Amino acid sequence: MTEPAHTDKTPAQNGKITVIGIGEDGFSGLSPAACQVIKQASIIFGGKRHLAMLPDDVSARQSPWISPFYDNMPLIADALAQNPVILASGDPMYFGVGNTLADHFGFENISIFPAPSSINLACARTGWPLAECDVITLHGRRPENLRACLRPRGKIIALSHDATTPALAAVMLYDAGYGDSNITVCERLGGEHEKITTKTAREWQHKAVGHDPDNLIDPLNVILIDLVADATATILPLGPGLPDDAFIHDGMITKSEIRAQTISSLGPWKGAVLWDIGAGCGSISIEWMRLGGCAVAIERDGNRCDMIGKNATRLGTPDLILHHASIGHALDMAKTASDPHRFPAPDAIFIGGGITTPDLMEHCWNLLSTHGRLVANTVTLEGEQELFRFYNKFGGTLSRLTISRLAARGNFTGWHNLAPVTHYVGVKS
């Protein structure tokens, strides 16, 4: 999952930023207008590879990126009076630097000259239908993100982090029961060193990134995966309501049927942020992320935090933000957190534990903006009393959810009633 973007903006009071997408064909592949901007520039930022593509007659001062990338923002801000030019790979607004710049400086201060992205070129070379593919980036992200996209007959296009990514993806696919999937690795697309290789995941996992020149993979590569599930694969729905045994847990888990209703009540949408308070094994926040959202899990028990981390990795949501803290301490941290990545503002809050914490419901309600959703479950009378008190004060809906499962009764079978769950839903208006 992509991390929530920085929200602080630096206004470009003195100038305009121009971002130019450049491909493997280099300066010669740019439009005349883009070439003219570069030749008239006073300062150009970009990666060393891109700056090396510029012809000798470009007189602008060239400033290579420094690491970490966000540390370049003050340097660009200092150069605003010079109308800085920035070189980027392909389409700067498609998993590119353009998104970061627009968020930091405001898009009204930016002009974009896009080039075909490596994803566009990969589809053009292979005939893959882009609109029917799951497109993700593994650049700077953990390869376990692939797991959320696993499905029979699915197609995944992934931007690699480096030369090791195809082999890492292949091992993951093989372990998940997708070893017969075809992996096409496209290297240096659009340039004279372009190379396209297709092997099964079973074959790719043994492909060395070592000393044999025939086995080397270029760090600039895109992975296309045509998924084939074998008999050992566990087929998981997108959600909601994954089987309970899909999670590592100690028995304290929102059961599948209740979880499906809870996720539905939370109303997930792509990019929405959930705070999962008293997260247990992380089942609610993980399913939320598998549906396209971002999540913060708060859990005070260290063993359960370990389970949350393992579940997030196994189920394709390694970017889940986890806080090992009590509810009170976590909320205090949220008040003073200067990094929005640690506590992004919630669009929905689920309270699965600690419901009787004094003023917890009111505090969570106040954190939500208009249209925000507060959902809480409890199986105790004390928790139910708290939900009823809050319901009388703020409105919403209260429901009693009951589930019965078939179970052995001696030599026979019968219905086993799970503990009834009192379920609160409030939408802030």
Side-chain angles (χ1 to χ4, degrees):
M1 177 207 80
T2 304
E3 292 183 340
H6 286 263
T7 57
D8 53 316
K9 287 183 169 59
T10 301
Q13 298 175 348
N14 300 315
K16 193 87 172 177
I17 299 170
T18 303
V19 186
I20 296 177
I22 189 168
E24 282 297 300
D25 50 359
F27 189 81
S28 62
L30 298 177
S31 68
C35 291
Q36 183 178 8
V37 170
I38 288 175
K39 290 193 174 183
Q40 293 177 347
S42 299
I43 182 170
I44 301 175
F45 293 86
K48 293 179 180 179
R49 181 175 65 89
H50 290 146
L51 293 173
M53 296 176 176
L54 299 178
D56 294 337
D57 61 350
V58 172
S59 61
R61 179 165 68 90
Q62 299 178 19
S63 180
W65 294 132
I66 61 174
S67 182
F69 180 77
Y70 207 76
D71 286 351
N72 292 283
M73 298 301 108
L75 303 179
I76 297 172
D78 289 342
L80 286 174
Q82 302 176 64
N83 297 313
V85 172
I86 292 171
L87 300 182
S89 297
D91 183 350
M93 299 303 293
Y94 197 35
F95 294 116
V97 66
N99 302 297
T100 302
L101 293 169
D103 175 69
H104 189 83
F105 294 100
F107 189 73
E108 66 275 11
N109 304 302
I110 297 174
S111 295
I112 305 285
F113 287 79
S117 71
S118 56
I119 292 172
N120 296 137
L121 293 173
C123 290
R125 300 293 190 270
T126 60
W128 274 38
L130 179 56
E132 299 175 15
C133 302
D134 294 319
V135 182
I136 64 173
T137 179
L138 300 179
H139 185 71
R141 292 168 173 80
R142 293 174 58 180
E144 288 85 1
N145 281 287
L146 274 174
R147 293 183 181 272
C149 301
L150 298 184
R151 55 187 170 90
R153 301 184 301 280
K155 290 182 179 292
I156 302 173
I157 302 176
L159 294 174
S160 279
H161 179 65
D162 57 23
T164 68
T165 308
L168 290 173
V171 170
M172 195 176 306
L173 290 166
Y174 181 81
D175 290 344
Y178 287 81
D180 293 328
S181 302
N182 282 318
I183 299 180
T184 299
V185 177
C186 303
E187 307 171 53
R188 302 296 291 265
L189 288 171
E192 59 182 28
H193 300 295
E194 179 178 300
K195 181 181 178 183
I196 298 176
T197 308
T198 300
K199 297 177 182 291
T200 66
R202 199 181 307 275
E203 296 168 317
W204 269 115
Q205 66 175 334
H206 302 301
K207 187 173 178 64
V209 186
H211 303 293
D212 183 356
D214 294 330
N215 255 351
L216 292 178
I217 299 172
D218 193 276
L220 297 172
N221 68 83
V222 181
I223 308 172
L224 283 71
I225 306 172
D226 194 359
L227 291 168
V228 178
D230 64 31
T232 66
T234 300
I235 310 302
L236 294 176
L238 185 61
L242 295 181
D244 294 344
D245 60 10
F247 300 91
I248 301 168
H249 63 89
D250 58 3
M252 297 300 290
I253 181 175
T254 304
K255 300 301 188 288
S256 175
E257 299 89 342
I258 303 297
R259 195 180 331 117
Q261 178 58 60
T262 300
I263 296 289
S264 177
S265 296
L266 286 166
W269 38 271
K270 187 173 182 179
V273 176
L274 170 72
W275 286 16
D276 184 1
I277 296 178
C281 70
S283 61
I284 293 291
S285 45
I286 287 170
E287 289 218 40
W288 174 278
M289 290 186 69
R290 284 174 60 88
L291 291 167
C294 309
V296 176
I298 298 168
E299 174 55 53
R300 68 178 181 179
D301 186 280
N303 291 330
R304 289 178 182 165
C305 285
D306 289 340
M307 289 189 288
I308 292 172
K310 291 175 182 177
N311 285 329
T313 297
R314 293 169 65 243
L315 294 169
T317 61
D319 296 328
L320 171 64
I321 302 169
L322 175 59
H323 291 288
H324 179 197
S326 67
I327 294 173
H329 182 52
L331 294 178
D332 287 341
M333 286 193 299
K335 292 177 185 177
T336 59
S338 58
D339 182 0
H341 286 173
R342 296 189 67 211
F343 284 98
D347 298 295
I349 297 176
F350 172 64
I351 305 175
I355 193 70
T356 57
T357 302
D359 299 322
L360 175 61
M361 296 286 289
E362 279 83 358
H363 190 87
C364 290
W365 187 255
N366 292 334
L367 285 169
L368 294 168
S369 58
T370 303
H371 307 304
R373 287 175 172 258
L374 178 61
V375 176
N377 290 345
T378 187
V379 295
T380 68
L381 285 176
E382 291 79 6
E384 187 173 275
Q385 290 169 353
E386 175 63 16
L387 293 184
F388 188 63
R389 178 196 68 78
F390 188 81
Y391 165 80
N392 283 330
K393 184 176 180 180
F394 289 95
T397 61
L398 271 177
S399 307
R400 175 68 62 84
L401 307 179
T402 57
I403 300 295
S404 299
R405 289 180 174 175
L406 202 63
R409 294 189 180 276
N411 295 327
F412 300 94
T413 55
W415 294 107
H416 171 68
N417 297 324
L418 303 183
V421 175
T422 303
H423 178 70
Y424 172 79
V425 182
V427 181
K428 197 167 183 179
S429 62

